[in-house]
Amino acid sequence: MATFDFSVVPLLSKAHVTALSSGDAWIERGATVLIFGPPGVGKSHLGCAIGHALIDAGYRVLFTHTGELVQKLQAARQSLQLPSALAKLDRFDLIILDDISYGIKDQAETSVLFELIAERYERRSLLITANQPFSGWNSIFPDPGMTVAAIDRLVYHSTLFELNVESYRRRAANDKQSARRRQSSTTTIQEEKP
């Protein structure tokens, strides 16, 4: 949390994030945290920071890329072990699903993702990062009914953060380029002196 730069995301309340990091009521209610924004704005960083703070507070947390977990659940379904796999995930107070917008390829995969969301609904917490707003989730859940049902479950008892700022990587690249220009300009001026 100490390395997250709240100053570049002015609409993000550090106090609110700090309160979530202590766990308490939202974890006990099985609530959800949703973090939206374009690539490179710190969604995964923020999710990890909350997760680490919760681990320090004694909670059990799993961080996973959504595509990886979906593949494992899909394999469990194929071997008729999906209920057992979902039950094993229940030991975690919070599952952080990073990049929900990536890695989902077909109806079978979206089905197991939906089952995970439905299974944890109001019982166990999820923290989800996504590059796409809900209006773009029809690419995640191609069945419109499943899309509505998933979003409905996720937004009920949820905290939503939108990190709509310039990409950290883009800012860093621009700063580096500006520094090189200044250096080049200084070098040129020094070479021109008699």
Side-chain angles (χ1 to χ4, degrees), residues 47-66:
C48 284
I50 292 170
H52 278 281
L54 290 169
I55 290 168
D56 291 343
Y59 291 96
R60 296 193 69 176
V61 177
L62 171 68
F63 175 92
T64 182
H65 292 284
T66 304

Side-chain angles (χ1 to χ4, degrees), residues 156-169:
Y156 193 61
H157 301 303
S158 71
T159 299
L160 180 90
F161 294 121
E162 291 188 55
L163 308 184
N164 291 321
V165 294
E166 184 180 16
S167 162
Y168 169 80
R169 290 180 285 274

Side-chain angles (χ1 to χ4, degrees), residues 86-194:
L86 291 172
K88 285 179 184 175
L89 292 173
D90 249 8
R91 67 183 176 198
F92 295 102
D93 300 300
L94 173 67
I95 296 177
I96 300 172
L97 295 175
D98 193 40
D99 292 331
I100 197 170
S101 309
Y102 297 127
I104 309 299
K105 298 178 188 106
D106 60 32
Q107 185 71 31
E109 291 176 350
T110 59
S111 176
V112 294
L113 177 59
F114 179 79
E115 287 188 51
L116 173 66
I117 292 168
E119 178 73 20
R120 293 185 71 86
Y121 175 62
E122 289 193 309
R123 293 184 329 95
R124 294 289 200 202
S125 293
L126 291 170
L127 185 152
I128 296 174
T129 68
N131 292 335
Q132 298 176 350
F134 288 134
S135 61
W137 279 33
N138 56 349
S139 65
I140 300 170
F141 299 100
D143 178 297
M146 191 181 290
T147 304
V148 170
I151 292 170
D152 183 61
R153 283 168 174 79
L154 292 173
V155 299
Y156 193 61
H157 301 303
S158 71
T159 299
L160 180 90
F161 294 121
E162 291 188 55
L163 308 184
N164 291 321
V165 294
E166 184 180 16
S167 162
Y168 169 80
R169 290 180 285 274
R170 185 177 301 138
R171 278 194 321 272
N174 288 344
D175 290 348
K176 195 174 190 178
Q177 188 175 30
S178 294
R180 275 188 259 156
R181 283 187 195 133
R182 284 191 301 276
Q183 178 65 30
S184 176
S185 175
T186 303
T187 302
T188 303
I189 291 171
Q190 288 175 353
E191 289 174 357
E192 292 175 359
K193 286 183 179 179

